Amino acid sequence: MDQPSGRSFMQVLCEKYSPENFPYRRGPGMGVHVPATPQGSPMKERTCAGSFSGVRKLVLNNSKASWETVHTILQELPDLEELFLCLNDYETVSCPSICCHSLKLLHITDNNLHNWTEIRKLGVMFPSLDTLVLANNHLNAIEEPDDSLARLFPNLRSISLHKSGLHSWKDIDKLNSFPKLEEVRLLGIPLLQPYTTEERRKLVVARLPSVSKLNGSVVTDGEREDSERFFIRYYVDVPQEEVPFRYHELITKYGKLEPLAEVDLRPQSSAKVEVHFNDQVEEMSIRLDQTVAELKKQLKTLVQLPTSSMLLYYFDHEAPFGPEEMKYSSRALHSFGIRDGDKIFVESKTK
């Protein structure tokens, strides 16, 4: 009787990871990593029933495993909780006839799943999904009615859309439809590219009131309030037809806020001071980025003294104490806090 000339992917997997061959793999929580192209010699037919009982984690990254193969494997893993399907060149998702209710975490990054019609199938396949990592798939939109999103992913707590193709704020608002969502990753999406770093985070935090962690960082109560107030002020002058619905919700919460006053906190670059020498008083403008030594050079012609013979004293016209000697040649003038109207006294060392 002729022997089979080869064996299936599933047969290879059964032989390689059977508890009979690897007794130390028995027990709860064990995982299986399947290499990209498993090899083996012909073998007689065998069953896999019970071989993978207790397996919690399966890695099929870069295996190019078809969806048919994935479904076959899943039927043998009744306790599987984590599945990795990265780098498999998937452009579509194929649904099995039987759902996998045990799966909690799915990594399916670096594939070619551009359309939401394919992503929604993952919710049908894995109704208990807690964490969905879709990074680097260039998903272009979340096209699903709000009530349908809640039914598709009723237990989803965390989603990564890092480097997706999302380009509309409507897609961000859709995330509010996941009833248990707490954590979101949205770095590197086209929508946020035109905004500053501050604007990106605050505008997203304000739009997602239930999310407690954004891009790996916890959203504190203080940050949320700051972001929501920022959101109101950001849209206060936008035409009513362009104002997002979230704006009106926050107006109900905080009221209509006036724009914050712009305050220039940059250090003053120059000051007009009175220079006193003997009985003379001259008003002049001095640069505050220069040093005491450089100021002496500037005063040399005015007071007719060599720099080595000068003693300088700074007097703050609003301070209650007397003049401060400017004795360190390398000290910058701005460190004295010099302002318009202050005084510089020049004396000769030989006086």
mmCIF file of all heavy atoms in Angstrom, residues 204-253:
data_model
loop_
_atom_site.group_PDB
_atom_site.id
_atom_site.type_symbol
_atom_site.label_atom_id
_atom_site.label_comp_id
_atom_site.label_asym_id
_atom_site.label_seq_id
_atom_site.Cartn_x
_atom_site.Cartn_y
_atom_site.Cartn_z
ATOM 1 N N VAL A 204 -7.134 65.159 21.039
ATOM 2 C CA VAL A 204 -7.557 63.752 21.090
ATOM 3 C C VAL A 204 -8.113 63.406 22.472
ATOM 4 O O VAL A 204 -9.162 62.775 22.593
ATOM 5 C CB VAL A 204 -6.397 62.810 20.721
ATOM 6 C CG1 VAL A 204 -6.792 61.349 20.964
ATOM 7 C CG2 VAL A 204 -5.998 62.996 19.259
ATOM 8 N N VAL A 205 -7.415 63.822 23.531
ATOM 9 C CA VAL A 205 -7.889 63.545 24.898
ATOM 10 C C VAL A 205 -9.284 64.122 25.099
ATOM 11 O O VAL A 205 -10.173 63.480 25.675
ATOM 12 C CB VAL A 205 -6.908 64.122 25.942
ATOM 13 C CG1 VAL A 205 -7.538 64.128 27.339
ATOM 14 C CG2 VAL A 205 -5.616 63.312 25.961
ATOM 15 N N ALA A 206 -9.516 65.347 24.619
ATOM 16 C CA ALA A 206 -10.807 65.997 24.806
ATOM 17 C C ALA A 206 -11.931 65.277 24.059
ATOM 18 O O ALA A 206 -13.081 65.280 24.493
ATOM 19 C CB ALA A 206 -10.736 67.449 24.340
ATOM 20 N N ARG A 207 -11.604 64.633 22.950
ATOM 21 C CA ARG A 207 -12.615 63.939 22.156
ATOM 22 C C ARG A 207 -12.932 62.539 22.692
ATOM 23 O O ARG A 207 -13.956 61.966 22.321
ATOM 24 C CB ARG A 207 -12.155 63.825 20.702
ATOM 25 C CG ARG A 207 -12.309 65.107 19.900
ATOM 26 C CD ARG A 207 -11.827 64.900 18.480
ATOM 27 N NE ARG A 207 -11.954 66.111 17.692
ATOM 28 C CZ ARG A 207 -12.975 66.391 16.874
ATOM 29 N NH1 ARG A 207 -13.976 65.541 16.773
ATOM 30 N NH2 ARG A 207 -13.006 67.508 16.174
ATOM 31 N N LEU A 208 -12.058 61.975 23.515
ATOM 32 C CA LEU A 208 -12.233 60.603 23.994
ATOM 33 C C LEU A 208 -12.385 60.603 25.518
ATOM 34 O O LEU A 208 -11.436 60.298 26.249
ATOM 35 C CB LEU A 208 -11.031 59.749 23.572
ATOM 36 C CG LEU A 208 -10.770 59.663 22.063
ATOM 37 C CD1 LEU A 208 -9.511 58.853 21.784
ATOM 38 C CD2 LEU A 208 -11.973 59.056 21.336
ATOM 39 N N PRO A 209 -13.548 60.938 26.035
ATOM 40 C CA PRO A 209 -13.715 61.103 27.478
ATOM 41 C C PRO A 209 -13.531 59.833 28.300
ATOM 42 O O PRO A 209 -13.236 59.919 29.489
ATOM 43 C CB PRO A 209 -15.155 61.627 27.603
ATOM 44 C CG PRO A 209 -15.835 61.200 26.345
ATOM 45 C CD PRO A 209 -14.786 61.239 25.291
ATOM 46 N N SER A 210 -13.657 58.655 27.698
ATOM 47 C CA SER A 210 -13.545 57.411 28.462
ATOM 48 C C SER A 210 -12.151 56.799 28.405
ATOM 49 O O SER A 210 -11.867 55.840 29.125
ATOM 50 C CB SER A 210 -14.565 56.384 27.939
ATOM 51 O OG SER A 210 -15.879 56.856 28.105
ATOM 52 N N VAL A 211 -11.297 57.331 27.554
ATOM 53 C CA VAL A 211 -9.946 56.770 27.399
ATOM 54 C C VAL A 211 -9.049 57.268 28.526
ATOM 55 O O VAL A 211 -8.912 58.472 28.739
ATOM 56 C CB VAL A 211 -9.360 57.151 26.023
ATOM 57 C CG1 VAL A 211 -7.885 56.793 25.942
ATOM 58 C CG2 VAL A 211 -10.121 56.438 24.912
ATOM 59 N N SER A 212 -8.438 56.327 29.248
ATOM 60 C CA SER A 212 -7.588 56.682 30.390
ATOM 61 C C SER A 212 -6.103 56.575 30.080
ATOM 62 O O SER A 212 -5.276 56.961 30.903
ATOM 63 C CB SER A 212 -7.913 55.770 31.583
ATOM 64 O OG SER A 212 -7.754 54.408 31.237
ATOM 65 N N LYS A 213 -5.759 56.055 28.893
ATOM 66 C CA LYS A 213 -4.345 55.974 28.497
ATOM 67 C C LYS A 213 -4.243 56.237 27.003
ATOM 68 O O LYS A 213 -4.908 55.574 26.200
ATOM 69 C CB LYS A 213 -3.755 54.612 28.847
ATOM 70 C CG LYS A 213 -2.258 54.507 28.551
ATOM 71 C CD LYS A 213 -1.687 53.141 28.929
ATOM 72 C CE LYS A 213 -1.534 52.996 30.425
ATOM 73 N NZ LYS A 213 -0.796 51.747 30.767
ATOM 74 N N LEU A 214 -3.422 57.225 26.627
ATOM 75 C CA LEU A 214 -3.246 57.592 25.220
ATOM 76 C C LEU A 214 -1.782 57.492 24.849
ATOM 77 O O LEU A 214 -0.930 58.105 25.495
ATOM 78 C CB LEU A 214 -3.761 59.012 24.978
ATOM 79 C CG LEU A 214 -3.555 59.571 23.563
ATOM 80 C CD1 LEU A 214 -4.318 58.753 22.528
ATOM 81 C CD2 LEU A 214 -3.972 61.033 23.491
ATOM 82 N N ASN A 215 -1.491 56.715 23.822
ATOM 83 C CA ASN A 215 -0.117 56.525 23.336
ATOM 84 C C ASN A 215 0.831 56.099 24.447
ATOM 85 O O ASN A 215 1.981 56.524 24.508
ATOM 86 C CB ASN A 215 0.391 57.803 22.661
ATOM 87 C CG ASN A 215 -0.424 58.167 21.437
ATOM 88 O OD1 ASN A 215 -0.979 57.302 20.765
ATOM 89 N ND2 ASN A 215 -0.541 59.453 21.162
ATOM 90 N N GLY A 216 0.335 55.269 25.352
ATOM 91 C CA GLY A 216 1.155 54.712 26.419
ATOM 92 C C GLY A 216 1.238 55.557 27.669
ATOM 93 O O GLY A 216 1.790 55.109 28.674
ATOM 94 N N SER A 217 0.683 56.770 27.659
ATOM 95 C CA SER A 217 0.758 57.668 28.820
ATOM 96 C C SER A 217 -0.616 57.803 29.468
ATOM 97 O O SER A 217 -1.625 58.002 28.775
ATOM 98 C CB SER A 217 1.247 59.058 28.402
ATOM 99 O OG SER A 217 2.556 58.988 27.871
ATOM 100 N N VAL A 218 -0.638 57.727 30.795
ATOM 101 C CA VAL A 218 -1.892 57.842 31.538
ATOM 102 C C VAL A 218 -2.455 59.253 31.405
ATOM 103 O O VAL A 218 -1.724 60.246 31.466
ATOM 104 C CB VAL A 218 -1.663 57.499 33.025
ATOM 105 C CG1 VAL A 218 -2.910 57.784 33.846
ATOM 106 C CG2 VAL A 218 -1.258 56.032 33.163
ATOM 107 N N VAL A 219 -3.757 59.345 31.211
ATOM 108 C CA VAL A 219 -4.446 60.642 31.170
ATOM 109 C C VAL A 219 -4.975 60.932 32.569
ATOM 110 O O VAL A 219 -5.903 60.284 33.042
ATOM 111 C CB VAL A 219 -5.609 60.614 30.164
ATOM 112 C CG1 VAL A 219 -6.328 61.971 30.164
ATOM 113 C CG2 VAL A 219 -5.104 60.278 28.768
ATOM 114 N N THR A 220 -4.369 61.887 33.251
ATOM 115 C CA THR A 220 -4.805 62.236 34.604
ATOM 116 C C THR A 220 -6.050 63.116 34.550
ATOM 117 O O THR A 220 -6.405 63.671 33.497
ATOM 118 C CB THR A 220 -3.702 62.995 35.347
ATOM 119 O OG1 THR A 220 -3.464 64.252 34.688
ATOM 120 C CG2 THR A 220 -2.400 62.188 35.366
ATOM 121 N N ASP A 221 -6.718 63.251 35.693
ATOM 122 C CA ASP A 221 -7.900 64.111 35.758
ATOM 123 C C ASP A 221 -7.543 65.555 35.422
ATOM 124 O O ASP A 221 -8.300 66.263 34.740
ATOM 125 C CB ASP A 221 -8.526 64.046 37.153
ATOM 126 C CG ASP A 221 -9.145 62.679 37.450
ATOM 127 O OD1 ASP A 221 -9.413 61.931 36.488
ATOM 128 O OD2 ASP A 221 -9.342 62.368 38.640
ATOM 129 N N GLY A 222 -6.366 65.995 35.897
ATOM 130 C CA GLY A 222 -5.926 67.361 35.612
ATOM 131 C C GLY A 222 -5.656 67.575 34.133
ATOM 132 O O GLY A 222 -6.021 68.611 33.565
ATOM 133 N N GLU A 223 -5.010 66.586 33.492
ATOM 134 C CA GLU A 223 -4.744 66.709 32.055
ATOM 135 C C GLU A 223 -6.047 66.716 31.270
ATOM 136 O O GLU A 223 -6.190 67.468 30.294
ATOM 137 C CB GLU A 223 -3.861 65.565 31.571
ATOM 138 C CG GLU A 223 -3.533 65.686 30.081
ATOM 139 C CD GLU A 223 -2.774 64.505 29.509
ATOM 140 O OE1 GLU A 223 -2.675 63.465 30.196
ATOM 141 O OE2 GLU A 223 -2.288 64.612 28.361
ATOM 142 N N ARG A 224 -6.998 65.901 31.690
ATOM 143 C CA ARG A 224 -8.269 65.868 30.961
ATOM 144 C C ARG A 224 -8.972 67.225 31.032
ATOM 145 O O ARG A 224 -9.473 67.730 30.013
ATOM 146 C CB ARG A 224 -9.178 64.771 31.521
ATOM 147 C CG ARG A 224 -10.510 64.700 30.795
ATOM 148 C CD ARG A 224 -11.275 63.445 31.116
ATOM 149 N NE ARG A 224 -10.511 62.250 30.798
ATOM 150 C CZ ARG A 224 -10.301 61.801 29.566
ATOM 151 N NH1 ARG A 224 -10.790 62.468 28.529
ATOM 152 N NH2 ARG A 224 -9.602 60.702 29.359
ATOM 153 N N GLU A 225 -9.015 67.825 32.216
ATOM 154 C CA GLU A 225 -9.671 69.130 32.327
ATOM 155 C C GLU A 225 -8.946 70.181 31.498
ATOM 156 O O GLU A 225 -9.583 70.978 30.796
ATOM 157 C CB GLU A 225 -9.741 69.576 33.793
ATOM 158 C CG GLU A 225 -10.434 70.922 33.950
ATOM 159 C CD GLU A 225 -10.652 71.327 35.396
ATOM 160 O OE1 GLU A 225 -10.556 70.451 36.276
ATOM 161 O OE2 GLU A 225 -10.936 72.521 35.641
ATOM 162 N N ASP A 226 -7.610 70.196 31.567
ATOM 163 C CA ASP A 226 -6.841 71.150 30.756
ATOM 164 C C ASP A 226 -7.121 70.951 29.271
ATOM 165 O O ASP A 226 -7.272 71.922 28.514
ATOM 166 C CB ASP A 226 -5.345 70.980 31.015
ATOM 167 C CG ASP A 226 -4.925 71.496 32.381
ATOM 168 O OD1 ASP A 226 -5.720 72.238 33.002
ATOM 169 O OD2 ASP A 226 -3.814 71.159 32.837
ATOM 170 N N SER A 227 -7.196 69.678 28.843
ATOM 171 C CA SER A 227 -7.423 69.371 27.429
ATOM 172 C C SER A 227 -8.821 69.791 26.990
ATOM 173 O O SER A 227 -9.007 70.324 25.888
ATOM 174 C CB SER A 227 -7.229 67.874 27.180
ATOM 175 O OG SER A 227 -5.898 67.480 27.467
ATOM 176 N N GLU A 228 -9.799 69.577 27.848
ATOM 177 C CA GLU A 228 -11.176 69.945 27.492
ATOM 178 C C GLU A 228 -11.344 71.457 27.418
ATOM 179 O O GLU A 228 -12.047 71.976 26.528
ATOM 180 C CB GLU A 228 -12.139 69.322 28.488
ATOM 181 C CG GLU A 228 -12.217 67.802 28.345
ATOM 182 C CD GLU A 228 -13.066 67.127 29.406
ATOM 183 O OE1 GLU A 228 -13.393 67.783 30.420
ATOM 184 O OE2 GLU A 228 -13.397 65.931 29.230
ATOM 185 N N ARG A 229 -10.702 72.165 28.323
ATOM 186 C CA ARG A 229 -10.750 73.632 28.263
ATOM 187 C C ARG A 229 -10.007 74.141 27.017
ATOM 188 O O ARG A 229 -10.443 75.105 26.366
ATOM 189 C CB ARG A 229 -10.151 74.236 29.535
ATOM 190 C CG ARG A 229 -11.036 74.033 30.780
ATOM 191 C CD ARG A 229 -10.380 74.602 32.024
ATOM 192 N NE ARG A 229 -11.238 74.504 33.181
ATOM 193 C CZ ARG A 229 -12.186 75.383 33.519
ATOM 194 N NH1 ARG A 229 -12.386 76.459 32.749
ATOM 195 N NH2 ARG A 229 -12.930 75.214 34.583
ATOM 196 N N PHE A 230 -8.879 73.513 26.722
ATOM 197 C CA PHE A 230 -8.120 73.858 25.509
ATOM 198 C C PHE A 230 -8.986 73.648 24.272
ATOM 199 O O PHE A 230 -8.986 74.463 23.340
ATOM 200 C CB PHE A 230 -6.858 72.993 25.440
ATOM 201 C CG PHE A 230 -6.011 73.216 24.219
ATOM 202 C CD1 PHE A 230 -4.993 74.156 24.232
ATOM 203 C CD2 PHE A 230 -6.226 72.487 23.060
ATOM 204 C CE1 PHE A 230 -4.208 74.366 23.103
ATOM 205 C CE2 PHE A 230 -5.453 72.690 21.932
ATOM 206 C CZ PHE A 230 -4.443 73.630 21.953
ATOM 207 N N PHE A 231 -9.732 72.543 24.261
ATOM 208 C CA PHE A 231 -10.605 72.200 23.133
ATOM 209 C C PHE A 231 -11.646 73.299 22.894
ATOM 210 O O PHE A 231 -11.880 73.713 21.749
ATOM 211 C CB PHE A 231 -11.287 70.870 23.432
ATOM 212 C CG PHE A 231 -12.045 70.275 22.285
ATOM 213 C CD1 PHE A 231 -11.442 69.395 21.416
ATOM 214 C CD2 PHE A 231 -13.383 70.591 22.088
ATOM 215 C CE1 PHE A 231 -12.150 68.823 20.364
ATOM 216 C CE2 PHE A 231 -14.100 70.034 21.045
ATOM 217 C CZ PHE A 231 -13.476 69.148 20.180
ATOM 218 N N ILE A 232 -12.259 73.774 23.969
ATOM 219 C CA ILE A 232 -13.262 74.839 23.844
ATOM 220 C C ILE A 232 -12.637 76.084 23.230
ATOM 221 O O ILE A 232 -13.186 76.680 22.291
ATOM 222 C CB ILE A 232 -13.872 75.169 25.219
ATOM 223 C CG1 ILE A 232 -14.726 74.001 25.712
ATOM 224 C CG2 ILE A 232 -14.724 76.437 25.137
ATOM 225 C CD1 ILE A 232 -15.245 74.173 27.129
ATOM 226 N N ARG A 233 -11.493 76.485 23.760
ATOM 227 C CA ARG A 233 -10.840 77.706 23.261
ATOM 228 C C ARG A 233 -10.349 77.523 21.824
ATOM 229 O O ARG A 233 -10.320 78.486 21.047
ATOM 230 C CB ARG A 233 -9.683 78.093 24.181
ATOM 231 C CG ARG A 233 -10.141 78.547 25.568
ATOM 232 C CD ARG A 233 -8.983 79.082 26.383
ATOM 233 N NE ARG A 233 -9.451 79.696 27.622
ATOM 234 C CZ ARG A 233 -9.429 79.109 28.813
ATOM 235 N NH1 ARG A 233 -8.930 77.874 28.928
ATOM 236 N NH2 ARG A 233 -9.868 79.725 29.881
ATOM 237 N N TYR A 234 -9.959 76.294 21.472
ATOM 238 C CA TYR A 234 -9.447 76.030 20.120
ATOM 239 C C TYR A 234 -10.540 76.258 19.076
ATOM 240 O O TYR A 234 -10.280 76.751 17.971
ATOM 241 C CB TYR A 234 -8.930 74.591 20.036
ATOM 242 C CG TYR A 234 -8.232 74.263 18.743
ATOM 243 C CD1 TYR A 234 -6.872 74.511 18.579
ATOM 244 C CD2 TYR A 234 -8.929 73.704 17.679
ATOM 245 C CE1 TYR A 234 -6.229 74.221 17.394
ATOM 246 C CE2 TYR A 234 -8.291 73.403 16.484
ATOM 247 C CZ TYR A 234 -6.943 73.662 16.353
ATOM 248 O OH TYR A 234 -6.307 73.365 15.168
ATOM 249 N N TYR A 235 -11.798 75.919 19.422
ATOM 250 C CA TYR A 235 -12.892 76.011 18.457
ATOM 251 C C TYR A 235 -13.798 77.226 18.678
ATOM 252 O O TYR A 235 -14.810 77.369 17.975
ATOM 253 C CB TYR A 235 -13.742 74.739 18.512
ATOM 254 C CG TYR A 235 -13.076 73.547 17.869
ATOM 255 C CD1 TYR A 235 -12.469 72.561 18.653
ATOM 256 C CD2 TYR A 235 -13.033 73.401 16.487
ATOM 257 C CE1 TYR A 235 -11.849 71.463 18.069
ATOM 258 C CE2 TYR A 235 -12.422 72.313 15.896
ATOM 259 C CZ TYR A 235 -11.832 71.347 16.691
ATOM 260 O OH TYR A 235 -11.210 70.263 16.109
ATOM 261 N N VAL A 236 -13.433 78.103 19.606
ATOM 262 C CA VAL A 236 -14.343 79.193 19.964
ATOM 263 C C VAL A 236 -14.634 80.125 18.799
ATOM 264 O O VAL A 236 -15.738 80.683 18.693
ATOM 265 C CB VAL A 236 -13.779 79.981 21.180
ATOM 266 C CG1 VAL A 236 -12.548 80.782 20.804
ATOM 267 C CG2 VAL A 236 -14.860 80.870 21.784
ATOM 268 N N ASP A 237 -13.681 80.321 17.893
ATOM 269 C CA ASP A 237 -13.880 81.248 16.776
ATOM 270 C C ASP A 237 -14.157 80.533 15.454
ATOM 271 O O ASP A 237 -14.159 81.164 14.391
ATOM 272 C CB ASP A 237 -12.649 82.147 16.614
ATOM 273 C CG ASP A 237 -12.475 83.096 17.799
ATOM 274 O OD1 ASP A 237 -13.503 83.559 18.327
ATOM 275 O OD2 ASP A 237 -11.322 83.361 18.192
ATOM 276 N N VAL A 238 -14.377 79.226 15.518
ATOM 277 C CA VAL A 238 -14.661 78.453 14.301
ATOM 278 C C VAL A 238 -16.132 78.628 13.929
ATOM 279 O O VAL A 238 -17.000 78.675 14.814
ATOM 280 C CB VAL A 238 -14.339 76.957 14.547
ATOM 281 C CG1 VAL A 238 -14.789 76.099 13.365
ATOM 282 C CG2 VAL A 238 -12.844 76.785 14.791
ATOM 283 N N PRO A 239 -16.462 78.735 12.637
ATOM 284 C CA PRO A 239 -17.876 78.856 12.229
ATOM 285 C C PRO A 239 -18.722 77.715 12.795
ATOM 286 O O PRO A 239 -18.266 76.573 12.877
ATOM 287 C CB PRO A 239 -17.798 78.785 10.699
ATOM 288 C CG PRO A 239 -16.417 79.287 10.372
ATOM 289 C CD PRO A 239 -15.541 78.828 11.490
ATOM 290 N N GLN A 240 -19.945 78.024 13.188
ATOM 291 C CA GLN A 240 -20.808 77.061 13.866
ATOM 292 C C GLN A 240 -20.997 75.765 13.081
ATOM 293 O O GLN A 240 -21.063 74.681 13.661
ATOM 294 C CB GLN A 240 -22.178 77.693 14.142
ATOM 295 C CG GLN A 240 -22.189 78.625 15.339
ATOM 296 C CD GLN A 240 -21.840 77.899 16.633
ATOM 297 O OE1 GLN A 240 -22.451 76.888 16.977
ATOM 298 N NE2 GLN A 240 -20.855 78.417 17.358
ATOM 299 N N GLU A 241 -21.049 75.870 11.763
ATOM 300 C CA GLU A 241 -21.268 74.664 10.960
ATOM 301 C C GLU A 241 -20.048 73.739 10.965
ATOM 302 O O GLU A 241 -20.142 72.562 10.582
ATOM 303 C CB GLU A 241 -21.629 75.034 9.513
ATOM 304 C CG GLU A 241 -20.568 75.813 8.754
ATOM 305 C CD GLU A 241 -20.664 77.323 8.955
ATOM 306 O OE1 GLU A 241 -21.359 77.741 9.906
ATOM 307 O OE2 GLU A 241 -20.061 78.053 8.149
ATOM 308 N N GLU A 242 -18.895 74.243 11.415
ATOM 309 C CA GLU A 242 -17.682 73.424 11.454
ATOM 310 C C GLU A 242 -17.311 72.977 12.870
ATOM 311 O O GLU A 242 -16.354 72.229 13.056
ATOM 312 C CB GLU A 242 -16.504 74.219 10.862
ATOM 313 C CG GLU A 242 -16.708 74.605 9.399
ATOM 314 C CD GLU A 242 -15.559 75.430 8.879
ATOM 315 O OE1 GLU A 242 -14.474 75.414 9.495
ATOM 316 O OE2 GLU A 242 -15.734 76.113 7.840
ATOM 317 N N VAL A 243 -18.066 73.424 13.862
ATOM 318 C CA VAL A 243 -17.765 73.068 15.252
ATOM 319 C C VAL A 243 -18.163 71.619 15.519
ATOM 320 O O VAL A 243 -19.287 71.218 15.197
ATOM 321 C CB VAL A 243 -18.523 74.009 16.217
ATOM 322 C CG1 VAL A 243 -18.413 73.513 17.646
ATOM 323 C CG2 VAL A 243 -17.970 75.423 16.108
ATOM 324 N N PRO A 244 -17.281 70.804 16.098
ATOM 325 C CA PRO A 244 -17.635 69.406 16.392
ATOM 326 C C PRO A 244 -18.660 69.306 17.509
ATOM 327 O O PRO A 244 -18.784 70.198 18.356
ATOM 328 C CB PRO A 244 -16.294 68.790 16.819
ATOM 329 C CG PRO A 244 -15.471 69.934 17.285
ATOM 330 C CD PRO A 244 -15.884 71.114 16.458
ATOM 331 N N PHE A 245 -19.397 68.196 17.527
ATOM 332 C CA PHE A 245 -20.434 67.994 18.539
ATOM 333 C C PHE A 245 -19.845 68.013 19.943
ATOM 334 O O PHE A 245 -20.485 68.490 20.890
ATOM 335 C CB PHE A 245 -21.136 66.659 18.289
ATOM 336 C CG PHE A 245 -22.207 66.354 19.308
ATOM 337 C CD1 PHE A 245 -23.405 67.041 19.304
ATOM 338 C CD2 PHE A 245 -21.994 65.393 20.291
ATOM 339 C CE1 PHE A 245 -24.390 66.774 20.248
ATOM 340 C CE2 PHE A 245 -22.967 65.110 21.235
ATOM 341 C CZ PHE A 245 -24.170 65.806 21.215
ATOM 342 N N ARG A 246 -18.619 67.529 20.101
ATOM 343 C CA ARG A 246 -17.973 67.485 21.413
ATOM 344 C C ARG A 246 -17.831 68.888 22.005
ATOM 345 O O ARG A 246 -17.869 69.065 23.236
ATOM 346 C CB ARG A 246 -16.600 66.826 21.290
ATOM 347 C CG ARG A 246 -15.828 66.676 22.585
ATOM 348 C CD ARG A 246 -16.547 65.810 23.580
ATOM 349 N NE ARG A 246 -15.745 65.595 24.781
ATOM 350 C CZ ARG A 246 -16.245 65.292 25.968
ATOM 351 N NH1 ARG A 246 -17.552 65.137 26.119
ATOM 352 N NH2 ARG A 246 -15.457 65.105 27.002
ATOM 353 N N TYR A 247 -17.680 69.890 21.170
ATOM 354 C CA TYR A 247 -17.578 71.274 21.633
ATOM 355 C C TYR A 247 -18.819 71.668 22.432
ATOM 356 O O TYR A 247 -18.719 72.254 23.519
ATOM 357 C CB TYR A 247 -17.389 72.198 20.431
ATOM 358 C CG TYR A 247 -17.432 73.676 20.753
ATOM 359 C CD1 TYR A 247 -16.303 74.339 21.205
ATOM 360 C CD2 TYR A 247 -18.609 74.408 20.587
ATOM 361 C CE1 TYR A 247 -16.330 75.700 21.487
ATOM 362 C CE2 TYR A 247 -18.653 75.760 20.869
ATOM 363 C CZ TYR A 247 -17.514 76.406 21.324
ATOM 364 O OH TYR A 247 -17.555 77.746 21.617
ATOM 365 N N HIS A 248 -19.990 71.342 21.922
ATOM 366 C CA HIS A 248 -21.232 71.705 22.597
ATOM 367 C C HIS A 248 -21.381 70.946 23.924
ATOM 368 O O HIS A 248 -21.890 71.492 24.907
ATOM 369 C CB HIS A 248 -22.422 71.428 21.681
ATOM 370 C CG HIS A 248 -22.374 72.197 20.399
ATOM 371 N ND1 HIS A 248 -22.527 73.571 20.341
ATOM 372 C CD2 HIS A 248 -22.149 71.792 19.123
ATOM 373 C CE1 HIS A 248 -22.429 73.979 19.096
ATOM 374 N NE2 HIS A 248 -22.200 72.931 18.328
ATOM 375 N N GLU A 249 -20.915 69.695 23.961
ATOM 376 C CA GLU A 249 -20.947 68.939 25.218
ATOM 377 C C GLU A 249 -20.077 69.608 26.272
ATOM 378 O O GLU A 249 -20.462 69.705 27.448
ATOM 379 C CB GLU A 249 -20.455 67.506 24.974
ATOM 380 C CG GLU A 249 -21.386 66.656 24.137
ATOM 381 C CD GLU A 249 -20.861 65.255 23.949
ATOM 382 O OE1 GLU A 249 -19.618 65.068 23.944
ATOM 383 O OE2 GLU A 249 -21.672 64.326 23.809
ATOM 384 N N LEU A 250 -18.917 70.079 25.858
ATOM 385 C CA LEU A 250 -17.993 70.701 26.812
ATOM 386 C C LEU A 250 -18.444 72.097 27.216
ATOM 387 O O LEU A 250 -18.158 72.545 28.336
ATOM 388 C CB LEU A 250 -16.573 70.731 26.218
ATOM 389 C CG LEU A 250 -15.935 69.352 26.023
ATOM 390 C CD1 LEU A 250 -14.571 69.482 25.348
ATOM 391 C CD2 LEU A 250 -15.788 68.634 27.365
ATOM 392 N N ILE A 251 -19.127 72.784 26.329
ATOM 393 C CA ILE A 251 -19.700 74.089 26.688
ATOM 394 C C ILE A 251 -20.715 73.906 27.810
ATOM 395 O O ILE A 251 -20.803 74.713 28.753
ATOM 396 C CB ILE A 251 -20.356 74.760 25.466
ATOM 397 C CG1 ILE A 251 -19.287 75.283 24.505
ATOM 398 C CG2 ILE A 251 -21.273 75.889 25.901
ATOM 399 C CD1 ILE A 251 -18.475 76.435 25.034
ATOM 400 N N THR A 252 -21.488 72.827 27.744
ATOM 401 C CA THR A 252 -22.453 72.531 28.806
ATOM 402 C C THR A 252 -21.733 72.280 30.123
ATOM 403 O O THR A 252 -22.230 72.647 31.201
ATOM 404 C CB THR A 252 -23.280 71.292 28.423
ATOM 405 O OG1 THR A 252 -23.953 71.549 27.185
ATOM 406 C CG2 THR A 252 -24.298 70.965 29.498
ATOM 407 N N LYS A 253 -20.541 71.699 30.060
ATOM 408 C CA LYS A 253 -19.781 71.351 31.257
ATOM 409 C C LYS A 253 -19.055 72.552 31.855
ATOM 410 O O LYS A 253 -19.051 72.757 33.070
ATOM 411 C CB LYS A 253 -18.783 70.238 30.915
ATOM 412 C CG LYS A 253 -17.962 69.734 32.097
ATOM 413 C CD LYS A 253 -17.070 68.575 31.652
ATOM 414 C CE LYS A 253 -16.239 68.039 32.810
ATOM 415 N NZ LYS A 253 -15.374 66.899 32.386
#
